[in-house]
Amino acid sequence: VMATSQEEAAALGRKLRALKLSYVEVNVSCPNVKGESSIVEELSKQCEAIGEESRHPVVFKLSHEQSHNEELLRAVWSL
């Protein structure tokens, strides 16, 4: 899944809650995410919202071409 805001991420999570899933993959790779480290906080909030609302483990897909991967990993790892 991919959301454009924290509110949309929470709504997606709620829709996924009733499904029997092993995990939810959040796609934060190019071309789904544009911009640089200024978006890291928003992306980590979206991952957190999806996990809290879906009650499923969250994994996220990164692109090797994004320069803010390390910062994003630290932000999401701390959730």
Side-chain angles (χ1 to χ4, degrees):
V1 298
M2 180 58 198
T4 58
S5 69
Q6 189 174 353
E7 295 77 20
E8 184 180 46
L12 281 169
R14 285 189 292 277
K15 288 180 180 181
L16 296 171
R17 186 182 301 167
L19 300 177
K20 293 183 181 193
L21 303 173
S22 297
Y23 61 89
V24 176
E25 179 182 289
V26 179
N27 190 348
V28 294
S29 64
C30 297
N32 293 314
V33 176
K34 300 200 183 333
E36 293 302 323
S37 62
S38 61
I39 62 169
V40 168
E41 185 177 345
E42 176 62 26
L43 290 174
S44 64
K45 287 180 181 178
Q46 289 180 25
C47 288
E48 183 177 24
I50 289 171
E52 285 179 356
E53 294 295 333
S54 72
R55 300 183 183 148
H56 296 297
V58 172
V59 298
F60 53 98
K61 179 181 175 183
L62 299 172
S63 169
H64 68 282
E65 296 177 6
Q66 291 171 237
S67 61
H68 58 272
N69 281 348
E70 187 175 333
E71 187 179 356
L72 180 60
L73 283 168
R74 272 190 247 124
V76 174
W77 188 260
S78 68
L79 297 176

